[in-house]
Amino acid sequence: MSAQNEHPNKYDVIVVGGGHNGLVAAGYLAKAGRSVLVLEKRDLVGGAAVTEEFYPGFKFSSLADGAGHLLSEVVTDLNLSQHGFQILPTDPLILSLLPDGNHLAIWHDVNRTIQEITKFSSVDAHAYPKFIEWMYKISRIVAEMNRMTPPDLPEVGLRDLKGLFSFISPVRGLGWKHITQVVRILPMSIADLLNEWFQSDIVKGAIAASAVNNISSGPQESNGTAYNFLYNWSGSNTGLFRSSGQVKGGMGALTQALAKSAISLGADILTNTEVIRINIQDGKATGVTLANGEQILAKTVISAADMRTTFLKLVDPYYLEPKFVRNVNYLKYHGTMARVHFALGRLPIFWGLNGGSEQLIKGHVQIAPTVTYIQQAYDPVKYGAYSKQPYLDIQIPTLTDSSIAPEGKHIMSVTVKYLPYKLSQGNWDELRDTIAKFVINILSDYAPDFGQCVQNYNVITPLDLEKVYNLPEGNPVHGEMTLNQFMWMRPIPGYAQYRAPIDGLYLCSAATHPGGGVTGINGRNASRQILEDLK
Amino acid sequence: MNSLTKNYDAIIIGGGHNGLTAAAYLAKAGRRVLVLEQRHLVGGAAVTEEIYPGFKYTVYSYVVSLLPPRIIQELQLPKHGLHVMPLEGAFTPMEDGNYIASYSDEDDTLAEIRRHSKRDADIFPVFNIMMYDLARAVKPILTMIPPDPANPGLEGLRTLRDLGGHLKSLGKEKFHWLTKIMTMSAYDFLREWFETDVLIATQAQIGVIGTFLGPKSPGTAYVLLHYYMGELDGASSTWGSQRGGTGGVSEAIAGAARSFGAEILCNAPVKQVIIKNGQAIGIALENGDEIVGKTIVSGCDPKVTFRTLVDEKELPSDLVDAIDKFKYRGSSGKVNLALDGLPTFPAMKDKALIRGMQEICPSVDYLERAYDDAKYGGFSKRPFMGCIIPSTVDPTMAPPGKHVMSIFVQYASYDMPAHGDRDQQREAFGNAVIDSLVEFAPNIKNLILHKQVITPWDIEQTVGITEGNISHGELMLDQLFFMRPIPGWAKYRTPVRNYYQCGSGTHPGGGITGTPGRMAAAEILKDGN
Amino acid sequence: MRLTPFHARTSELCDVYNWSLWCNWLLADMYAPDHIQEYFAIRTACAVFDVSPIPKYHIHGPDAVRFLNRIVTQDVLHCAVGQVLYTPWCDDDGKIMDDGILARLDGQSFRLTAGDPWLYWLEDNSVGLDVVIEDVTELGVLALQGPNSRHLLKTLTDTDLDQLRYFHILKTELAGIPVEVSRTGYTGDLGYEIWVEPPQAVQLWDVLLEAGEAYQLIPFGDYALEMARIEAGLLLADVDFYSSKKVVYEFEKSSPLELGLGWSVKLDKEHFIGQKALQQEHARVPSWGTMGLEVDLNSLEAIYAGFGMPLYLPHEAWNEAVPVYSGGHQIGKATSGMWSPILKKYIAIARLKPQFTRPGTHVDMEVTIDAQHKLAQTTVVKMPFFDPARKKSLGQE
């Protein structure tokens, strides 16, 4: 970032951590006329939403991919288009590859998808549009919930009630008596939910995979995966359960745009600047201490870091109540994903796809043929092991954006689930090549020439997520997206209003409501709360 | 049988303990009541039978708890033979030859835990108080008549207001614990308290009983709390066994019902409820007889209540749809053994524990693997088992020197693996149980005189409960309170006038509690029926 | 059930087989048929009590001071090496969890005792701090109490015990056995507690008892201790108050301010658990005060006379709470009491509404005879009831 060596030692607001939520918060606060400083430990801002050139000429979206969940208000309020942010559309949303060479594509166009589903089950083809209509409406409730500051239950204020009414309105169309259906669905598992609608294992598998993104457990037993499914849907830019499109130039282009926007609004951003303490005096935040010993003052400090880092490292836990520390200590992180990036000399040929294959693989390509497959990919994680048949979510962004690789070459980025952060045997640093090899093996089943296409690969293990990207236990969303960590319980019960238990200290990371994903909502909600408190 | 009165105020379909409880309360209120049971004996899933001469098996269920003193007193059950003896603690052998035990005396339990972890011993009493406190917080919710939030009515609104007030009165910390326990897995929840794996396993097993979930599946922490709820009703903090077998509890309730004037007819399977103009007016038996009744009450599970006993055209389509989605997932089987002598557990240092419960759940992973084994169909190769040997305290159960062992086994799924037949599967299941038991009690194999193996499918075939789930449907968050059995019809009524439901498929759910039966009877009387 | 390192000796001496359990450790209630003899030994000669079951934690490391300062209500920052503090500790809501004594063994090393075991609480609250917490409950401890205790101890060591001040601790050897000696106790008299590693415990007992013969030393049990501690105005957990973590209902909890322990709560120190709640409580006057009661014997005698009985006095301590009234309204409860043989007074410890805590106030305590409730007149007094100068004074100045 614009390395500003000269900076004042006093700001209205200091943002600790330059992930996308930190940058969004900084942008909004700067726009409201506050002097803002963002401090990032790495040499680039963006957190989990960065583009990195692991091999010359190949620009990878290291962790997050696809910006389809970014709140549209954030794009307009912060003028991101002016700062180079552009989404390139993709279709289909999903291509689910099957071991027998067959495949199922989910398109933007519901009718086109119905035709696809008919290949597998005419009953399901019939159910699909009803499912979409019904769940879309419910996802609107979740979308409304996402934008509100959660109530501090069981205390419910007048403002909360207003909020509640506003988010009930989208389902009025469903008929008042269906409200209870919403309550019923939230704690369900995605497998149970889909069983109520569909018969074909293949259709269920293709849809269920979207429910375990950002969540660490399997689709069958994890109550709350239905909620996560709706959560992912609530922010989706397609009106469907999976978003689409990719950021031109890779995910880093989004956070770069956010940074530029914040700077244009007057914020300062320092990279390579590690905060080691959030300073507290008489129970109030007073600023931060940097690794080099320098102190910078601010009456308001926002932590965009996860809870454990914020409260057990940056804040002296001495000042916190035992029950709060206990809650921080027992937050569930449970990261279970890895990323494998391939630099490809040429595009592999997927044997099941007849002509037009390039079009079919522009979106998310899933190796998750059935719900049971995904569940079995998870089962070993419980015992600290991993399945050799993981669920793979694959993107080949170069098909849509040729600017990110040398001409004629391609990039393939694969999210691999599930890999436990805590291994019962071995350690991740030694398993990098093993992971890459079995991903190559699996992909070779679907694209026999895949091995020959690979020029280079880069593996980001759950441990790398922690060590390189500062994501404890390798969880990119700073804490599991389960029902016991949602709404008024996110990040910590009693502290869901973006305020830390220390005056002047605020939270805006994915650990806060509504949760993970590149949505910008956390940063936006937090800045709104701060501006209200500063009034 | 021929002396049947032709005209009843209430006909109860199914002589399980909830049906009998409803019958007793209705009869006590002066109604003419008839109970119809398809089998030759009452009790449903709570029966005792002498399958092997001289040995009494509590065939489908095993321990007694949760029966509230209020029901015991109101129905004068001890007068009719209720005689429950508390179990002498619980014993859990570990795979390394060590063990952990719990006793009714807290100091003894703490001393046991201290052998494994000082920290856990220190925190255990605090944990117990917190669970007791949470159970206390949930208790009033369980006895509220569940409102239908979509269409609450004045009374429902009042209940919702009371509920809101109640939750507020808990204060934040307790409310937060409550929301956590409703949504977490038993393992995650317990891990916030304890570090000893085997201690967590012994607690977590309580959270998986009656569900098809593992200790690491969210939702199981609530089931754990459900158990603590039993403690609130006075002293029954331990589980017990009924003298002469669990069937004695059903017999006692039946005795009470008869004493109030109810008639009970066995070997009388009901074919369907007779409905005229949307109103239930009687029932038709399988043999073609029809009996007229002003009120018909089903003690059966929701699928039988709505889909078997009633014609689909009498019901709104969304109800039919919702009932079809109702999850049963029977997960437990039973193995009953007649033994030539007492089995020996080498790990058991305190020999008195043979009179308690022997819980085969040596570690959290053991439980979780048992679940993983069975969740795609079939049964656990090394299952979780809860064993009691009631003949160690109750001479009526077996001949002198001989014993009966009652083994509750989880997981056995209702679904079979793609290949294999029922008989083979039952045999293999029984063998897996014995082989797993032999790991911890090596001499048991030589003591077996007779073995009865029961899978969920067998329970469905004999007792008639769908998918063999003795709780009449999983106790999961989406099937509780105002959603049990389904949203909109959680108040013991049905869309058919004068047709009611009172089984464990209604609020507050399974266990030998009698509460659904009691609450259904109260609602029926409130309607003036 | 666990046995203390002195059990081999105490079990030989406990002629009456009168035992009870403390944290599941076996503890003698009395050794001889009459516990009053044991009581008088504490007040007139010296007596020894096996206090080993008391939970003990060795807390050390660079952050030990900060850690303890956060946990307990006393000011640990200003606790000198060799000093011992009595201190309560509280939960987030300022309700008392337990109390104990905290000894600073050296700059970064402390020993904390407690009424109940609290390893999890200490561990949970050490998150982020560089401190080691060890449960050292197995350590043997003997309480040597009474006017003769100093004379006796001095025969076993060269260390100048005359200069060991009240609530201080030092390392020494008794007849060659390495021990720590603290001038502490639960009797309100001159006395010491001797801390010894378990392997040397029996040996210590033997040398002490042998040397003690010249000083009228006898062992004493829980009954005599109970009497001594009431006279000393020292509260007992599970009797005069309950740990907030071990009860369910709010009314069962109490704050150190309500218990008259305000002197041990340093409200203005940097930060400690429960500080905010206690500061607020301090500002608005606590709901209760804890005081002593002296029963008017004439009034009590008159009640017994009404039953045709002579005056009866409790020669054993009682600890079942009874209501206290004023003008017919209940204004508190007495939680433990007894006839003090040395003061010749019937005394009780009571929790009272604040307007009744002024010394000299007359209130009525319930007395039950033949299941009939009667009211005996009492006078509110300050505690301790018994406070001899020798408790704190130095030896031969």
Side-chain angles (χ1 to χ4, degrees):
Chain A
M1 200 75 291
S2 54
Q4 256 178 281
N5 294 322
E6 291 300 311
H7 58 267
N9 78 337
K10 196 174 172 194
Y11 286 84
D12 291 338
V13 182
I14 292 174
V15 181
V16 182
H20 88 277
N21 274 313
L23 295 170
V24 168
Y28 274 100
L29 291 166
K31 197 177 172 187
R34 312 285 158 174
S35 64
V36 179
L37 173 67
V38 180
L39 298 167
E40 167 59 40
K41 178 177 167 184
R42 294 192 73 198
D43 58 1
L44 77 172
V45 293
V50 289
T51 302
E52 292 175 276
E53 209 168 313
F54 297 130
Y55 304 103
F58 292 88
K59 292 177 184 158
F60 296 92
S61 294
S62 314
L63 295 179
D65 58 8
H69 287 103
L70 193 64
L71 197 66
S72 56
E73 285 96 320
V74 171
V75 180
T76 47
D77 290 348
L78 300 180
N79 254 329
L80 297 185
S81 315
Q82 246 184 39
H83 297 285
F85 172 65
Q86 190 190 345
I87 288 196
L88 306 170
T90 54
D91 203 20
L93 314 182
I94 295 167
L95 180 74
S96 176
L97 295 177
L98 305 174
D100 62 2
N102 219 331
H103 61 86
L104 169 64
I106 308 275
W107 300 89
H108 270 106
D109 180 7
V110 171
N111 288 323
R112 200 170 172 188
T113 310
I114 292 172
Q115 280 174 22
E116 279 278 324
I117 294 177
T118 310
K119 288 198 298 193
F120 301 95
S121 159
S122 55
V123 175
D124 289 357
H126 187 67
Y128 181 73
K130 280 195 266 179
F131 174 76
I132 296 294
E133 188 196 349
W134 177 267
M135 290 297 152
Y136 173 74
K137 285 183 175 154
I138 295 176
S139 77
R140 291 304 90 201
I141 306 180
V142 177
E144 290 300 325
M145 277 162 48
N146 290 348
R147 287 158 191 262
M148 67 189 281
T149 297
D152 191 10
L153 292 179
E155 304 294 331
V156 182
L158 199 61
R159 206 179 74 163
D160 300 319
L161 284 178
K162 264 202 240 157
L164 287 170
F165 273 104
S166 78
F167 77 64
I168 282 171
S169 55
V171 275
R172 287 234 175 94
L174 290 172
W176 185 244
K177 71 178 199 171
H178 294 306
I179 294 279
T180 44
Q181 289 297 333
V182 180
V183 184
R184 194 179 70 91
I185 288 169
L186 287 187
M188 282 173 79
S189 77
I190 188 65
D192 287 341
L193 178 67
L194 295 178
N195 283 339
E196 293 186 356
W197 289 90
F198 301 108
Q199 294 175 347
S200 156
D201 286 343
I202 287 144
V203 174
K204 286 188 267 188
I207 301 174
S210 308
V212 296
N213 292 332
N214 291 340
I215 205 160
S216 14
S217 43
Q220 190 170 321
E221 67 212 36
S222 176
N223 296 36
T225 39
Y227 163 71
N228 195 54
F229 178 68
L230 288 168
Y231 175 73
N232 287 339
W233 195 329
S234 70
S236 155
N237 62 352
T238 58
L240 295 171
F241 47 89
R242 187 123 207 208
S243 64
S244 78
Q246 61 193 57
V247 180
K248 188 169 167 29
M251 276 309 277
L254 162 63
T255 41
Q256 291 299 320
L258 281 170
K260 284 177 198 150
S261 162
I263 290 168
S264 77
L265 292 164
D268 288 344
I269 299 176
L270 292 179
T271 51
N272 287 318
T273 310
E274 185 184 357
V275 171
I276 55 160
R277 256 290 177 252
I278 292 171
N279 300 331
I280 293 163
Q281 211 163 32
D282 300 328
K284 290 189 184 73
T286 58
V288 299
T289 304
L290 304 181
N292 65 9
E294 187 187 346
Q295 299 210 359
I296 309 178
L297 302 175
K299 284 212 171 91
T300 302
V301 177
I302 310 174
S303 172
D306 73 285
M307 294 301 103
R308 220 176 272 171
T309 307
T310 304
F311 291 108
L312 305 183
K313 282 190 189 152
L314 297 179
V315 169
D316 184 349
Y318 186 84
Y319 296 100
L320 302 168
E321 283 197 332
K323 58 188 167 208
F324 184 83
V325 175
R326 189 176 198 284
N327 276 321
V328 172
N329 222 6
Y330 287 114
L331 262 179
K332 312 283 174 293
Y333 282 76
H334 295 324
T336 54
M337 66 162 270
R339 289 273 280 178
V340 180
H341 297 288
F342 294 103
L344 302 177
R346 60 178 165 83
L347 209 54
I349 298 162
F350 289 87
W351 65 275
L353 311 178
N354 312 321
S357 84
E358 243 183 62
Q359 173 60 34
L360 278 171
I361 56 176
K362 274 189 171 176
H364 290 270
V365 179
Q366 286 175 188
I367 311 259
T370 64
V371 173
T372 303
Y373 178 96
I374 306 172
Q375 181 63 39
Q376 284 174 337
Y378 171 67
D379 286 346
V381 166
K382 298 188 231 181
Y383 315 104
Y386 55 87
S387 165
K388 295 278 161 52
Q389 297 285 314
Y391 154 39
L392 303 182
D393 186 82
I394 304 153
Q395 276 199 306
I396 310 174
T398 38
L399 288 173
T400 310
D401 181 0
S402 56
S403 73
I404 53 178
E407 208 180 328
K409 315 263 178 180
H410 284 278
I411 280 176
M412 181 190 272
S413 295
V414 184
T415 301
V416 187
K417 284 182 95 122
Y418 303 83
L419 304 170
Y421 165 78
K422 285 186 192 110
L423 282 167
S424 59
Q425 278 173 350
N427 82 65
W428 279 122
D429 289 336
E430 288 159 8
L431 287 169
R432 267 204 193 84
D433 289 338
T434 316
I435 299 297
K437 290 213 173 96
F438 80 67
V439 170
I440 292 172
N441 282 339
I442 294 168
L443 283 171
S444 302
D445 289 344
Y446 296 87
D449 65 339
F450 181 70
Q452 290 116 58
C453 303
V454 175
Q455 286 190 342
N456 244 319
Y457 59 78
N458 179 290
V459 179
I460 301 173
T461 69
L463 192 62
D464 295 330
L465 258 72
E466 178 174 275
K467 289 204 298 208
V468 180
Y469 299 95
N470 307 309
L471 298 162
E473 290 189 27
N475 187 326
V477 300
H478 296 190
E480 269 215 274
M481 294 283 294
T482 46
L483 285 184
N484 58 300
Q485 301 189 149
F486 113 120
M487 274 294 270
W488 69 93
M489 294 180 273
R490 192 169 185 92
I492 304 282
Y495 298 92
Q497 291 72 41
Y498 304 98
R499 300 186 196 103
I502 286 158
D503 288 349
L505 178 59
Y506 289 84
L507 312 165
C508 78
S509 81
T512 63
H513 172 79
V518 184
T519 66
I521 302 176
N522 318 59
R524 184 171 186 262
N525 283 0
S527 61
R528 183 183 62 212
Q529 188 66 53
I530 292 164
L531 289 170
E532 211 166 279
D533 288 358
L534 288 175
K535 256 180 216 165
Chain B
M1 177 176 302
N2 295 326
S3 66
L4 278 181
T5 319
K6 289 294 171 227
N7 207 332
Y8 291 92
D9 292 324
I11 299 174
I12 317 280
I13 307 170
H17 85 279
N18 275 313
L20 294 169
T21 305
Y25 275 99
L26 290 172
K28 196 178 176 207
R31 303 295 185 272
R32 273 175 308 163
V33 179
L34 173 67
V35 180
L36 297 169
E37 167 57 42
Q38 50 139 348
R39 296 192 68 202
H40 63 281
L41 80 173
V42 294
V47 294
T48 301
E49 295 177 73
E50 198 171 311
I51 304 285
Y52 184 66
F55 294 81
K56 285 185 187 159
Y57 291 164
T58 290
V59 183
Y60 308 103
S61 47
Y62 71 138
V63 288
V64 182
S65 69
L66 307 170
L67 194 64
R70 186 158 57 172
I71 292 178
I72 296 175
Q73 192 194 8
E74 285 170 351
L75 300 182
Q76 301 176 21
L77 296 183
K79 204 171 97 184
H80 299 287
L82 185 80
H83 181 147
V84 180
M85 300 156 284
L87 294 172
E88 176 107 27
F91 158 83
T92 304
M94 293 162 66
E95 282 162 305
D96 64 0
N98 200 343
Y99 75 104
I100 193 165
S102 69
Y103 296 89
S104 51
D105 181 78
E106 192 178 60
D107 278 343
D108 292 340
T109 304
L110 294 186
E112 255 302 284
I113 298 173
R114 193 172 296 275
R115 282 201 304 118
H116 297 268
S117 157
K118 284 178 177 176
R119 179 197 158 88
D120 287 356
D122 291 2
I123 206 168
F124 192 76
V126 183
F127 172 78
N128 266 334
I129 281 171
M130 198 265 322
M131 290 300 279
Y132 173 83
D133 210 8
L134 286 183
R136 209 167 54 89
V138 173
K139 187 80 182 186
I141 302 175
L142 291 191
T143 46
M144 283 177 193
I145 299 295
D148 175 3
N151 185 15
L154 206 59
E155 194 189 343
L157 281 176
R158 218 173 287 138
T159 309
L160 282 178
R161 189 199 57 197
D162 291 350
L163 177 65
H166 173 68
L167 292 176
K168 226 169 172 173
S169 75
L170 298 177
K172 277 190 192 170
E173 194 177 4
K174 216 182 295 174
F175 175 80
H176 292 147
W177 272 116
L178 198 59
T179 51
K180 273 174 109 163
I181 204 168
M182 297 292 260
T183 51
M184 284 174 90
S185 75
Y187 172 77
D188 278 344
F189 182 76
L190 291 162
R191 191 64 194 80
E192 289 196 13
W193 292 87
F194 305 117
E195 62 186 12
T196 308
D197 183 74
V198 68
L199 176 62
I200 295 175
T202 58
Q203 292 280 322
Q205 55 91 4
I206 302 167
V208 299
I209 287 179
T211 71
F212 214 119
L213 291 167
K216 293 184 178 174
S217 311
T220 47
Y222 172 74
V223 186
L224 174 63
L225 183 65
H226 204 76
Y227 158 77
Y228 273 82
M229 223 95 69
E231 298 195 18
L232 291 182
D233 283 313
S236 73
S237 64
T238 45
W239 292 0
S241 60
Q242 159 74 21
R243 186 162 192 267
T246 303
V249 177
S250 309
E251 296 289 347
I253 302 173
R258 283 197 198 93
S259 77
F260 297 126
E263 291 173 56
I264 298 171
L265 191 58
C266 289
N267 296 311
V270 174
K271 186 160 183 252
Q272 67 174 67
V273 177
I274 304 169
I275 298 169
K276 217 176 231 167
N277 301 327
Q279 183 167 336
I281 56 165
I283 58 92
L285 293 174
E286 291 281 2
N287 66 10
D289 288 359
E290 296 192 353
I291 307 173
V292 176
K294 287 197 190 114
T295 301
I296 311 298
V297 188
S298 169
C300 307
D301 72 82
K303 197 156 272 176
V304 174
T305 301
F306 290 105
R307 302 293 276 128
T308 311
L309 293 172
V310 173
D311 197 299
E312 185 171 334
K313 68 178 194 302
E314 304 289 349
L315 302 169
S317 64
D318 58 343
L319 177 139
V320 171
D321 196 37
I323 289 293
D324 289 346
K325 290 172 178 171
F326 188 71
K327 294 187 288 289
Y328 283 89
R329 289 198 275 227
S331 61
S332 60
K334 220 21 232 307
V335 173
N336 299 305
L337 300 177
L339 299 174
D340 202 16
L342 213 48
T344 316
F345 290 84
M348 191 185 283
K349 298 290 176 287
D350 176 359
K351 298 297 173 203
L353 288 165
I354 199 73
R355 294 196 293 270
M357 199 181 308
Q358 297 86 40
E359 293 168 342
I360 310 300
C361 54
S363 66
V364 173
D365 278 0
Y366 180 99
L367 282 176
E368 190 69 30
R369 278 186 212 280
Y371 162 64
D372 278 348
D373 262 2
K375 74 182 181 200
Y376 304 108
F379 55 84
S380 316
K381 286 187 259 325
R382 294 173 80 211
F384 154 58
M385 292 173 278
C387 317
I388 53 173
I389 311 175
S391 48
T392 53
V393 290
D394 180 357
T396 67
M397 298 297 287
K402 318 279 182 197
H403 290 280
V404 288
M405 190 176 206
S406 191
I407 310 169
F408 170 90
V409 191
Q410 206 164 311
Y411 303 80
S413 84
Y414 175 78
D415 300 318
M416 291 225 304
H419 39 86
D421 68 66
R422 293 281 177 196
D423 290 336
Q424 268 176 6
Q425 195 198 10
R426 186 184 306 108
E427 186 63 26
F429 170 59
N431 290 341
V433 168
I434 302 301
D435 290 345
S436 307
L437 206 51
V438 162
E439 289 181 42
F440 302 97
N443 73 337
I444 199 159
K445 218 166 194 166
N446 304 325
L447 298 172
I448 299 172
L449 300 170
H450 174 261
K451 174 175 78 179
Q452 182 191 29
V453 181
I454 291 171
T455 66
W457 184 78
D458 297 320
I459 297 175
E460 183 184 72
Q461 293 303 303
T462 317
V463 187
I465 304 174
T466 306
E467 291 187 31
N469 185 327
I470 56 174
S471 301
H472 289 199
E474 266 193 306
L475 288 179
M476 295 305 304
L477 204 52
D478 59 335
Q479 299 192 157
L480 280 176
F481 195 46
F482 65 85
M483 296 186 270
R484 190 166 187 88
I486 52 165
W489 297 105
K491 291 195 282 191
Y492 308 100
R493 294 173 183 83
T494 73
V496 178
R497 256 177 302 142
N498 296 343
Y499 184 41
Y500 293 82
Q501 32 175 352
C502 76
S504 290
T506 61
H507 175 80
I512 303 178
T513 70
T515 307
R518 181 180 186 273
M519 287 170 75
E523 289 299 296
I524 291 165
L525 293 170
K526 208 196 291 176
D527 287 351
N529 286 17
Chain C
M1 191 177 65
R2 289 181 291 171
L3 304 175
T4 79
F6 301 104
H7 184 76
R9 294 293 181 267
T10 54
S11 58
E12 280 172 5
L13 292 167
C14 184
D15 295 335
V16 291
Y17 295 97
N18 207 335
W19 301 88
S20 57
L21 289 174
W22 173 15
C23 299
N24 217 31
W25 294 85
L26 200 60
L27 184 73
D29 284 331
M30 54 205 264
Y31 287 86
D34 186 4
H35 67 280
I36 298 291
Q37 292 307 320
E38 296 174 14
Y39 161 83
F40 271 106
I42 299 170
R43 291 291 182 234
T44 47
C46 59
V48 63
F49 181 84
D50 178 5
V51 66
S52 307
I54 195 166
K56 311 167 204 61
Y57 301 96
H58 184 206
I59 293 156
H60 54 98
D63 283 336
V65 173
R66 280 193 95 211
F67 165 70
L68 284 163
N69 215 26
R70 176 166 190 255
I71 295 273
V72 304
T73 60
Q74 279 272 25
D75 184 359
V76 183
L77 218 54
H78 296 102
C79 176
V81 173
Q83 195 185 339
V84 181
L85 299 173
Y86 162 81
T87 184
W89 54 93
C90 297
D91 62 17
D92 288 338
D93 304 321
K95 299 297 182 189
I96 192 165
M97 284 176 60
D98 206 347
D99 63 352
I101 62 168
L102 178 66
R104 187 163 196 170
L105 305 176
D106 66 43
Q108 294 187 356
S109 170
F110 293 83
R111 187 169 49 233
L112 179 69
T113 68
D116 274 315
W118 291 110
L119 188 59
Y120 88 92
W121 179 256
L122 299 175
E123 282 180 354
D124 281 359
N125 285 298
S126 67
V127 171
L129 295 170
D130 188 359
V131 62
V132 180
I133 299 152
E134 290 171 276
D135 185 328
V136 291
T137 301
E138 64 280 359
L139 213 60
V141 193
L142 291 178
L144 177 67
Q145 305 280 303
N148 254 354
S149 51
R150 183 186 292 129
H151 301 307
L152 164 53
L153 271 193
K154 278 164 75 174
T155 65
L156 296 171
T157 180
D158 297 335
T159 308
D160 183 8
L161 288 180
D162 284 335
Q163 297 309 310
L164 178 60
R165 283 181 293 150
Y166 187 56
F167 267 79
H168 280 73
I169 187 166
L170 54 74
K171 258 193 178 135
T172 179
E173 285 184 357
L174 294 180
I177 304 162
V179 295
E180 285 163 309
V181 175
S182 61
R183 195 164 155 196
T184 49
Y186 198 53
T187 62
D189 217 303
L190 171 65
Y192 300 85
E193 284 169 317
I194 307 162
W195 313 71
V196 64
E197 292 295 334
Q200 277 94 48
V202 169
Q203 198 192 343
L204 174 69
W205 178 277
D206 290 342
V207 298
L208 200 62
L209 271 279
E210 197 189 328
E213 260 178 55
Y215 296 89
Q216 295 81 31
L217 176 72
I218 59 169
F220 71 105
D222 202 38
Y223 291 165
L225 183 71
E226 262 284 279
M227 297 177 71
R229 73 97 192 161
I230 292 174
E231 284 175 345
L234 299 170
L235 305 184
L236 180 60
D238 292 340
V239 170
D240 300 306
F241 67 89
Y242 294 96
S243 165
S244 69
K245 291 281 172 185
K246 308 228 159 153
V247 293
V248 176
Y249 306 99
E250 265 329 288
F251 72 82
E252 299 173 284
K253 302 177 181 177
S254 40
S255 84
L257 306 184
E258 293 170 344
L259 296 173
L261 302 172
W263 61 272
S264 64
V265 180
K266 308 300 179 201
L267 286 174
D268 300 329
K269 72 174 182 172
E270 188 187 4
H271 171 81
F272 65 93
I273 296 165
Q275 183 179 36
K276 220 182 251 174
L278 287 168
Q279 281 169 343
Q280 284 163 3
E281 186 185 345
H282 180 70
R284 66 159 190 265
V285 177
S287 314
W288 299 101
T290 298
M291 295 296 288
L293 298 180
E294 280 181 21
V295 180
D296 174 30
L297 294 186
N298 290 328
S299 135
L300 190 63
E301 191 166 19
I303 292 169
Y304 278 99
F307 287 80
M309 295 166 74
L311 176 62
Y312 168 83
L313 293 166
H315 292 280
E316 247 179 62
W318 52 262
N319 53 24
E320 296 283 330
V322 296
V324 175
Y325 297 87
S326 174
H329 300 284
Q330 192 182 345
I331 51 103
K333 60 179 178 179
T335 49
S336 50
M338 62 157 198
W339 169 253
S340 165
I342 200 133
L343 299 170
K344 301 293 178 203
K345 281 176 184 167
Y346 183 176
I347 54 175
I349 298 174
R351 190 98 56 91
L352 305 171
K353 286 195 175 156
Q355 59 269 41
F356 298 95
T357 52
R358 202 164 31 84
T361 309
H362 293 291
V363 294
D364 302 326
M365 185 177 86
E366 189 175 282
V367 178
T368 304
I369 300 164
D370 188 33
Q372 297 183 48
H373 301 313
K374 300 290 169 191
L375 296 180
Q377 290 166 20
T378 72
T379 306
V380 174
V381 297
K382 275 191 177 164
M383 294 196 293
F385 300 99
F386 178 74
D387 194 15
R390 62 179 180 257
K391 178 172 88 177
K392 295 188 179 179
S393 65
L394 295 176
Q396 302 161 341
E397 266 115 309

